Amino acid sequence: MRAPDRPYEPRTRYAAPPPPDGGGRSVLGGAFALLGAVERAEEAGLTRLAAECGLPKTTAYRLLEQLVELGAVERSRGGYRMGPRIFRLGQGWQPYPGLRTAARGPARRLARVTGATVGLNVLREGQTLVLDWTPGESAGALGRSLDAGVWPWFTAAGKVLVAGVGPRLPAGPMPASWHRQAEAIRERGAAFDREEVMAGVCCVAVPVHGPNGAPLASLSLVTDPAHSLERLVGVVQQTGRMIGAALRGRRTPGATPAEATTHR
């Protein structure tokens, strides 16, 4: 039986495991510790990676070379960096079966109609992860802002999810006004970002609900300050409902995004 989908519970940011003690660390644990260190450093040499993971250099070298053979990391001038196999494996991750497939068509139509960049996002470890995104006709710098694939939780895409999980909030300081903001987000069914995270970048985001009504992800529309976010809310919500309906195995009645008025 498939476990029911649940609202996301932000977790503490991953930290490297403590150095091995008497019995040492398992091979798998050591390999994952090295992968985590490579991710955080982006590119680093053997000495640094071994020290950060608390591994002997000979052990770290052996594990890194095995990871190279598997394509999980690759050698570089600076030592080691993340490999293409990790990228491919990561592209297959999704928090709910069929979420990417259900969102792909509606997201493309929304990007085509509005000309804006559309993102499908989830909340993990106190951060907003961009699961998938579709650039609009005027993406430019907006598209590049998504390349990292990780945003702070307090983007519109993250706030709309955090507001839906009640007291289970990301680690770290919360704005004093957060509870009022969260209530407003729940009432409106949307969150906004008006150049709060990046100059020249605005965003409206809505929750995507799973079969049991819990928010599985957020759908965000990223644009520039020249567009009215309030006028875009309806079409983004319509698209979010279409994705949720596809996950439930039925179509949403009413207009498709292509038929909606977006007031660009």
Side-chain angles (χ1 to χ4, degrees):
M1 180 181 295
R2 185 179 65 200
D5 50 315
R6 296 177 296 174
Y8 285 112
E9 297 188 26
R11 302 167 188 166
T12 304
R13 176 70 175 159
Y14 171 82
D21 46 30
R25 177 188 288 134
S26 70
V27 172
L28 187 60
F32 268 87
L34 287 166
L35 285 172
V38 171
E39 178 201 9
R40 292 187 295 274
E42 296 187 357
E43 185 175 85
L46 173 63
T47 301
R48 175 180 171 182
L49 294 173
E52 184 171 337
C53 297
L55 293 169
K57 285 181 67 173
T58 53
T59 301
Y61 176 77
R62 175 173 53 81
L63 291 174
L64 285 166
E65 289 302 305
Q66 289 176 353
L67 290 170
V68 167
E69 292 179 7
L70 294 170
V73 300
E74 59 185 18
R75 300 183 193 89
S76 65
R77 284 188 176 182
Y80 298 91
R81 62 190 177 199
M82 203 61 75
R85 189 169 189 183
I86 293 296
F87 173 79
R88 292 195 299 271
L89 291 172
Q91 293 300 299
W93 178 80
Q94 56 185 344
Y96 191 84
L99 178 59
R100 284 177 181 268
T101 301
R104 189 167 294 123
R108 287 176 178 172
R109 288 192 291 273
L110 181 61
R112 185 171 63 249
V113 169
T114 62
T117 295
V118 177
L120 181 68
N121 322 281
V122 296
L123 200 63
R124 277 291 188 273
E125 298 176 348
Q127 294 183 309
T128 307
L129 306 185
V130 184
L131 187 65
D132 204 359
W133 65 281
T134 306
E137 63 183 24
S138 57
L142 300 182
R144 290 194 296 273
S145 71
L146 298 175
D147 284 347
V150 180
W151 296 343
W153 77 264
F154 50 82
T155 60
K159 286 192 292 187
V160 77
L161 289 172
V162 175
V165 300
R168 298 183 293 277
L169 300 172
M174 301 294 294
S177 62
W178 169 247
H179 292 293
R180 292 195 302 273
Q181 293 181 39
E183 184 177 354
I185 289 170
R186 289 191 293 268
E187 289 179 358
R188 183 67 185 269
F192 301 95
D193 171 4
R194 296 178 174 87
E195 300 185 86
E196 298 168 23
V197 178
M198 183 178 298
V201 177
C202 296
C203 179
V204 56
V206 304
V208 174
H209 297 282
N212 73 348
L216 289 175
S218 66
L219 184 72
S220 59
L221 188 145
V222 185
T223 186
D224 56 67
H227 290 75
S228 169
L229 297 182
E230 286 76 7
R231 293 182 177 180
L232 290 165
V233 171
V235 69
V236 181
Q237 290 176 327
Q238 174 81 19
T239 305
R241 287 193 293 269
M242 290 176 65
I243 297 170
L247 288 171
R248 294 189 298 274
R250 63 175 184 270
R251 297 182 62 182
T252 298
T256 67
E259 296 168 341
T261 302
T262 61
H263 301 281
R264 287 179 56 192

